[in-house]
């Protein structure tokens, strides 16, 4: 992608950090220190505001656009990448996502009061029902615009640079451990549900999607992509198809990712008990948590679980 930017004399800030050294023998990779360049992470407990969300989605649009151009040139092949484990791995789905949903269900019924009891009960669905809905939501259609995606796009894997007024002006994506070939909306969904403040996402959803789409098309045009470009309607439809995936990961793990606890997930226990134990219930009892995540839980139940 760096060479692509140089070819088109793109002077925008790269979306990645530089590799200082790579030792194939030990598989050690030494990356540049972004902190000395003024970059920092948005604390996961804070969630991203609109300025950070807009900059991030513009960055994702640039990244996906360049990836598609490199695919068209034959430099990137979808056959080189494994499936997204969050969407396809039975153990991940059962232990972390379905297990997380059942944990949310238990805590709601036990601690959130009678007004939330019915929502809590509806979230208590069988693994078979959850697995079918979840995996169907994450399946990319053959006709859908697809490309190499980041695969783990959320706030802890981003760093931002700021101007003198403390406004974000540049973003870097980190931790490229899970790249895969899929709809770019998987990255967008993951980012929007796990990184942006829930109220900000809900109130500005359509604007944020348009922001991403505008950046994607601009990037495809800039770097000379000759294939069919997705319309805003195409992106909106893909996001709708992924909605159960987005609401599910939000209901299952958002409280743990955004809470104060440093032990929200005990992976060893989660895997050993297939998700029955290993979640810190306190994350779902922090002050303001009902106002923060409640509307999306209602949305999940009303749209997808009401008749189960």
């Amino acid at each position: 992608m760096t060479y692509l930017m140089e070819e088109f004399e793109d002077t925008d800030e790269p979306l990645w950090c530089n590799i200082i050294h790579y030792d194939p023998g030990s598989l050690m990779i030494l990356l540049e220190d972004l902190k000395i360049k003024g970059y920092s992470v948005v604390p996961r407990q804070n969630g991203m505001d609109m300025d950070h969300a807009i900059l991030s989605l513009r960055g994702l649009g640039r990244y996906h656009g360049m990836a598609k151009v490199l695919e068209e040139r034959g430099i990137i092949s979808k056959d080189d990448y494994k499936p997204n484990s969050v969407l396809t791995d039975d153990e991940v789905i059962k232990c972390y996502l379905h297990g997380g949903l059942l944990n949310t269900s238990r805590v709601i019924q036990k601690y959130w009061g009678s007004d939330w009891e019915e929502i809590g009960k509806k979230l208590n669905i069988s693994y078979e029902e959850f697995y079918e809905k979840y995996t169907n939501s994450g399946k990319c259609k053959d006709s859908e615009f697809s490309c190499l995606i980041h695969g783990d796009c959320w706030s802890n894997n981003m760093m931002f640079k700021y101007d003198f007024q403390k406004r974000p002006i540049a973003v870097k994506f980190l931790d490229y451990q899970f790249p895969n070939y899929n709809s770019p909306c998987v990255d967008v969904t993951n980012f929007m549900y796990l990184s942006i403040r829930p109220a900000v996402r809900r109130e500005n959803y359509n604007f944020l999607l348009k922001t991403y789409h505008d950046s994607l098309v601009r990037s495809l045009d800039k770097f000379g992509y000759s294939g069919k470009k997705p319309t805003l309607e195409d992106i909106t439809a893909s996001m709708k198809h992924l909605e159960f995936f987005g609401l599910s990961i939000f209901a299952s793990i958002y409280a743990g990712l955004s809470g104060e606890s440093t032990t929200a997930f005990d992976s060893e226990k989660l895997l050993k008990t297939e998700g029955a134990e290993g979640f810190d219930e306190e994350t779902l009892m922090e002050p303001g948590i009902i106002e923060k995540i409640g509307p999306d839980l209602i949305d999940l139940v009303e749209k997808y679980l009401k008749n189960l």
Side-chain angles (χ1 to χ4, degrees):
M1 289 185 180
T2 300
Y3 293 135
L4 187 65
M5 291 179 67
E6 291 175 354
E7 177 185 339
F8 284 86
E9 299 180 350
D10 182 0
T11 58
D12 288 339
E13 185 74 14
L15 296 164
W16 48 87
C17 62
N18 293 317
I19 295 178
I20 305 301
H21 178 71
Y22 170 59
D23 180 6
S26 63
L27 298 180
M28 182 187 73
I29 300 176
L30 181 63
L31 304 174
E32 68 174 322
D33 184 357
L34 292 176
K35 288 185 178 180
I36 64 175
K37 291 188 173 182
Y39 284 84
S40 60
V41 176
V42 174
R44 59 182 175 79
Q45 295 88 349
N46 294 354
M48 291 192 190
D49 59 18
M50 274 294 283
D51 287 342
H52 288 86
I54 289 170
L55 185 62
S56 299
L57 288 167
R58 285 175 177 166
L60 271 181
R62 285 179 59 205
Y63 178 80
H64 293 149
M66 285 189 279
K68 194 64 178 178
V69 170
L70 293 177
E71 178 192 341
E72 186 177 50
R73 293 185 176 191
I75 297 172
I76 287 177
S77 171
K78 63 180 180 180
D79 298 326
D80 293 337
Y81 298 93
K82 297 178 181 179
N84 188 327
S85 61
V86 176
L87 289 168
T88 60
D89 186 277
D90 289 356
E91 191 172 53
V92 171
I93 296 171
K94 186 175 185 64
C95 299
Y96 288 90
L97 300 171
H98 182 250
L101 190 65
L102 296 187
N103 176 66
T104 301
S105 170
R106 287 192 299 269
V107 174
I108 287 176
Q109 293 182 72
K110 191 174 181 180
Y111 297 108
W112 280 26
S114 58
D115 289 347
W116 287 92
E117 187 173 354
E118 190 61 28
I119 295 294
K121 289 179 179 178
K122 288 291 185 180
L123 293 175
N124 185 19
I125 66 172
S126 71
Y127 177 65
E128 291 72 24
E129 290 171 319
F130 178 79
Y131 183 84
E132 181 180 4
K133 284 182 173 292
Y134 183 85
T135 53
N136 285 339
S137 176
K139 286 179 181 176
C140 178
K141 300 175 183 177
D142 292 339
S143 60
E144 198 169 346
F145 180 87
S146 302
C147 63
L148 173 68
I149 67 172
H150 182 279
D152 192 17
C153 192
W154 73 293
S155 57
N156 264 27
N157 289 334
M158 301 178 185
M159 294 184 76
F160 295 88
K161 190 174 184 178
Y162 298 86
D163 65 13
F164 71 98
Q165 293 180 311
K166 304 299 182 183
R167 293 178 302 191
I169 56 173
V171 60
K172 301 274 191 187
F173 297 116
L174 313 173
D175 198 359
Y176 292 84
Q177 292 187 75
F178 305 107
N180 59 95
Y181 190 87
N182 212 321
S183 165
C185 291
V186 172
D187 271 351
V188 177
T189 297
N190 207 64
F191 168 72
M192 289 183 70
Y193 280 94
L194 297 184
S195 303
I196 304 174
R197 294 171 189 168
V200 171
R201 166 177 48 80
R202 291 190 292 262
E203 293 166 9
N204 300 280
Y205 184 84
N206 290 330
F207 176 80
L208 291 170
L209 277 196
K210 186 176 186 304
T211 297
Y212 167 75
H213 175 260
D214 288 348
S215 178
L216 172 64
V217 172
R218 189 163 52 246
S219 182
L220 291 169
D221 287 339
K222 182 175 187 175
F223 295 109
Y225 179 64
S226 62
K228 182 181 178 182
K229 304 176 186 70
T231 64
L232 179 58
E233 289 73 22
D234 292 333
I235 295 297
T236 301
S238 293
M239 291 295 292
K240 180 61 180 176
H241 181 69
L242 285 158
E243 187 176 43
F244 184 79
F245 161 66
L247 288 169
S248 294
I249 60 173
F250 180 84
S252 299
I253 63 175
Y254 178 79
L257 293 179
S258 63
E260 296 296 330
S261 174
T262 57
T263 57
F265 310 103
D266 184 334
S267 292
E268 184 177 348
K269 189 175 288 186
L270 285 169
L271 295 172
K272 185 177 180 180
T273 65
E274 296 188 328
E277 299 176 22
F279 293 97
D280 183 356
E281 293 185 349
E282 294 294 327
T283 62
L284 286 159
M285 293 183 279
E286 292 185 4
I289 192 65
I290 295 178
E291 293 76 13
K292 186 184 290 186
I293 73 172
D296 287 298
L297 298 182
I298 294 173
D299 210 21
L300 173 60
V301 167
E302 290 293 324
K303 289 182 177 179
Y304 298 101
L305 307 178
K306 192 173 184 179
N307 297 320
L308 292 181

